[in-house]
Amino acid sequence: MPKVRRHLLNKQIKNVIYAWLTCSVIFGVIASLLYIQKQQSSKLHLQNIAHKIQFELNSQIQIVDNFLIEAESIDIRCTPNTLKLLRQQVFKNPAVSEIGIVSSSGLLACNSFGQVTPAIQTTEPIKARGLRYHGPIISDYLEMSAFVLARTRTDGYEINVLLPSTWLRGSLNLAQYTQLDFVALVDAVTGVPIILQGQYSLPLNRPLFPLVTQYQETDLFDDGKSKYLSAKPLSAIPQLALVVASNTSELFQLDSQPLFIVAVIYAVSWFSVCIFLNYYDKRQMGLKSQLKRAIAQQELFNVYQPQVNAVTNEVVGAEVLIRWQHPVEGKLSPAFFIPEAERSGAIVDISIEQMKLALQELAPILAINPLFKVSFNVNGQLLSNRDYLGILHLASQEIQNLTIELTERDVLSQSEVKSILENIKTWGVEVAIDDFGTGYSGLHYLQSFSIDLLKIDQSFVASIGLDNLQSPVLNAMIEMAGNLNKKLIAEGVETQTQANYLIAHGVTIHQGWLYEKAQTIDSLFELLSERSQFSSVQCKAG
């Protein structure tokens, strides 16, 4: 297999893996969030079910208890008025099947059906005050299971109300709540179920009873299953508690439809990311080939950003910038191709061609004005290349006032840069720091490296006249440069206010749209001719 094809295949395999990892991480987070959201919504749904059942039970029990409290004054003799009151309560409350009056000795002599003859001996009323329950029991009259609520009066008589077990089971009907594993009305002290729907079980790791407050937790139960349980005493009668539970495997299970949608989106995203990465690689490889062709076809050209003495308005120099006249996409700025050129190493060939072209184009200007200042942008990669240093040395012989501009990162990134700069300085080349203040600015490196000139970054120039944190920094930078005997150039000057401020602080060499934009060599020549500068002797910028 040819080397290029093998390289492309390896890149495609890597792209597939990168796409899979990226999509897996993203969709793993999404799936986790969906699961957490499902957990929270399922728990909330179960809590709402429990609240609904509790509300129904509490409401009915409270109605019964209100009647029992009012029955403190009812005539315990089975008078017509007594029977009327008892029967009215039965008719009004569908949850009530029977009401009875039990004497202090335990005899049931009267109920809502009438006089009980002979009286039936039951359990003696408890002498304690307050609402209580017992049962379930079998009603003698209805011959059906019932749950008993009762209060003992101050005279020792007990008034009790029978709630049919069928009504309670209807309130706890499990068929209404498909997500529940069981629902139970239990004794809050012992946990013994009074009414139960489903398979009752309890947590293994926590003693739940006696239950005095609400409990909501996921735990392992004695049937070997993990369940989410909600248990809470009834507010109307705290001796009873409602317990509902659901298997977590069912409660927290994600619906198949959302999972299918997520899976489809995951697959599409994986495929799309693979296509994008492959396209990006091909584009980058294509850009590398296009750059080689651009150099061969001389599609790269220079523009020149004038450097102006703001006091005399004279153009004292120019910064050489690169552009690409693409045959299809038109004029392209360096941001489009320089990063790839630096990654691929094509920056060396581009920079050499740029300097050769600049020497050719600037020759007429330099012949008339030998002290015309010319600046080139250089990075650490170029300074370590022998061919580029060779053309730079040649340029230093042709341009008396030559400057190379490096960023602070380039100056500090390589240990050998310091010695290289010192060697370049012997050729008469000035070294400038571009975008000064945005990187590693500090007294140590300004004193350690062979640096002649500092270019104030346009972000600091833009802060002039504005109340922000960069304004005092600008003043400090200007003062520091003066103390270190470093020249200054301000770039990005766009307003007269900025220019006046800089001049007042001793910064007189400016670049920016207030004066001129970057222009072709012909436009630069016309600009210099219009200002009649070819006839004057230029002073070295600084």
Side-chain angles (χ1 to χ4, degrees):
M1 182 182 294
K3 186 176 180 180
V4 175
R5 289 183 60 189
R6 185 164 57 249
H7 175 73
L8 286 174
L9 179 60
N10 290 336
K11 289 288 290 183
Q12 289 175 351
I13 293 173
K14 288 181 181 179
N15 288 341
V16 170
I17 295 173
Y18 290 154
W20 172 72
L21 288 174
T22 301
C23 292
S24 296
V25 170
I26 294 174
F27 280 87
V29 172
I30 293 174
S32 298
L33 293 175
L34 284 175
Y35 182 70
I36 293 171
Q37 190 273 335
K38 173 64 176 177
Q39 279 189 325
Q40 296 303 319
S41 63
S42 297
K43 289 179 180 179
L44 182 62
H45 180 63
L46 187 141
Q47 292 166 16
N48 289 337
I49 292 174
H51 177 75
K52 176 185 175 183
I53 298 173
Q54 281 241 352
F55 179 79
E56 292 177 356
L57 292 175
N58 281 320
S59 297
Q60 292 299 330
I61 292 173
Q62 191 61 57
I63 291 172
V64 170
D65 192 34
N66 290 339
F67 167 75
L68 292 176
I69 293 172
E70 294 172 358
E72 175 72 25
S73 59
I74 198 172
D75 192 343
I76 50 90
R77 296 171 300 173
C78 215
T79 64
N81 188 53
T82 298
L83 291 176
K84 178 182 178 182
L85 291 174
L86 297 181
R87 289 168 182 172
Q88 281 180 342
Q89 187 62 28
V90 172
F91 292 147
K92 285 194 304 183
N93 195 337
V96 176
S97 61
E98 183 180 340
I99 301 175
I101 302 175
V102 179
S103 69
S104 58
S105 60
L107 289 176
L108 174 63
C110 183
N111 64 18
S112 52
F113 290 98
Q115 185 79 34
V116 179
T117 306
I120 300 173
Q121 182 64 52
T122 64
T123 305
E124 290 185 11
I126 297 174
K127 300 303 186 286
R129 305 291 293 171
L131 181 68
R132 63 180 181 275
Y133 83 93
H134 62 88
I137 64 170
I138 301 298
S139 170
D140 290 329
Y141 279 81
L142 298 178
E143 295 184 350
M144 60 184 295
S145 175
F147 176 81
V148 181
L149 293 176
R151 273 183 178 271
T152 301
R153 303 194 332 171
T154 53
D155 58 6
Y157 275 77
E158 175 189 277
I159 309 298
N160 56 46
V161 174
L162 274 64
L163 306 179
S165 297
T166 52
W167 176 82
L168 285 171
R169 289 193 184 93
S171 298
L172 276 61
N173 186 4
L174 196 62
Q176 300 179 68
Y177 316 111
T178 55
Q179 286 186 324
L180 296 185
D181 188 48
F182 70 81
V183 54
L185 186 66
V186 304
D187 187 291
V189 177
T190 64
V192 174
I194 296 169
I195 299 295
L196 171 64
Q197 296 281 308
Q199 299 297 318
Y200 187 59
S201 58
L202 293 174
L204 282 176
N205 302 320
R206 182 191 186 282
L208 190 59
F209 300 100
L211 184 69
V212 295
T213 186
Q214 185 174 11
Y215 175 82
Q216 295 172 342
E217 196 58 69
T218 300
D219 210 334
L220 183 65
F221 279 56
D222 52 23
D223 62 357
K225 296 179 180 179
S226 175
K227 301 180 192 290
Y228 176 73
L229 178 140
S230 177
K232 184 179 180 181
L234 298 182
S235 58
I237 179 167
Q239 301 97 315
L240 295 174
L242 180 71
V243 181
V244 296
S246 179
N247 292 334
T248 55
S249 59
E250 298 177 4
L251 188 66
F252 302 156
Q253 184 178 10
L254 291 173
D255 297 332
S256 57
Q257 185 174 0
L259 282 177
F260 176 75
I261 294 173
V262 170
V264 171
I265 296 175
Y266 172 82
V268 171
S269 300
W270 185 5
F271 180 72
S272 300
V273 173
C274 287
I275 291 177
F276 171 78
L277 291 176
N278 288 331
Y279 169 78
Y280 178 80
D281 287 340
K282 289 179 180 179
R283 181 177 177 83
Q284 292 304 102
M285 292 184 68
L287 182 57
K288 189 186 302 182
S289 301
Q290 289 182 60
L291 282 172
K292 291 181 180 180
R293 180 188 55 77
I295 296 171
Q297 298 295 324
Q298 298 181 340
E299 295 172 359
L300 301 175
F301 66 96
N302 289 336
V303 292
Y304 301 87
Q305 174 72 59
Q307 296 176 344
V308 178
N309 186 319
V311 177
T312 64
N313 203 34
E314 291 181 324
V315 178
V316 298
E319 179 181 355
V320 185
L321 305 171
I322 192 77
R323 298 290 187 269
W324 181 4
Q325 187 62 48
H326 195 280
V328 176
E329 300 187 35
K331 188 183 297 185
L332 301 176
S333 71
F336 180 82
F337 59 91
I338 290 299
E340 174 56 29
E342 291 177 340
R343 281 192 294 268
S344 65
I347 189 66
V348 175
D349 293 334
I350 290 175
S351 299
I352 289 174
E353 291 301 316
Q354 179 193 33
M355 190 166 289
K356 287 180 179 179
L357 181 59
L359 289 174
Q360 178 184 338
E361 291 182 336
L362 292 171
I365 296 176
L366 294 170
I368 298 172
N369 183 5
L371 294 181
F372 189 78
K373 187 179 186 67
V374 181
S375 299
F376 291 92
N377 289 294
V378 180
N379 62 19
Q381 185 179 356
L382 295 174
L383 291 178
S384 61
N385 184 274
R386 183 174 301 177
D387 293 336
Y388 182 79
L389 291 176
I391 191 66
L392 180 61
H393 184 256
L394 176 63
S396 70
Q397 297 173 351
E398 301 289 332
I399 306 172
Q400 294 185 35
N401 203 357
L402 177 62
T403 302
I404 58 172
E405 300 182 10
L406 299 93
T407 63
E408 299 171 44
R409 184 181 300 275
D410 288 319
V411 170
L412 296 181
S413 62
Q414 301 181 38
S415 59
E416 67 270 19
V417 165
K418 184 176 180 180
S419 61
I420 294 173
L421 291 179
E422 289 174 351
N423 185 45
I424 291 174
K425 290 272 291 180
T426 64
W427 305 341
V429 177
E430 281 192 332
V431 177
I433 296 298
D434 196 11
D435 302 332
F436 178 60
T438 61
Y440 301 95
S441 301
L443 284 172
H444 174 70
Y445 94 82
L446 287 177
Q447 293 173 328
S448 300
F449 286 80
S450 301
I451 297 166
D452 305 287
L453 190 149
L454 305 175
K455 295 191 72 174
I456 301 172
D457 183 67
Q458 59 185 356
S459 64
F460 293 97
V461 174
S463 72
I464 294 173
L466 303 177
D467 185 16
N468 60 37
L469 295 176
Q470 289 183 310
S471 297
V473 175
L474 172 62
N475 296 336
M477 289 164 51
I478 295 173
E479 183 179 355
M480 180 175 65
N483 293 335
L484 295 175
N485 198 27
K486 307 294 183 183
K487 303 172 186 177
L488 282 172
I489 292 180
E491 57 183 355
V493 181
E494 297 184 356
T495 68
Q496 192 61 49
T497 300
Q498 295 168 354
N500 294 339
Y501 182 92
L502 292 166
I503 293 170
H505 286 76
V507 183
T508 58
I509 307 301
H510 299 176
Q511 282 182 222
W513 288 8
L514 175 63
Y515 304 97
E516 299 292 341
K517 295 183 179 181
Q519 50 199 264
T520 64
I521 187 63
D522 292 337
S523 298
L524 178 63
F525 200 94
E526 291 177 6
L527 175 66
L528 294 171
S529 298
E530 289 171 1
R531 300 193 182 193
S532 302
Q533 289 188 226
F534 285 150
S535 61
S536 62
V537 178
Q538 300 298 306
C539 295
K540 195 171 183 180

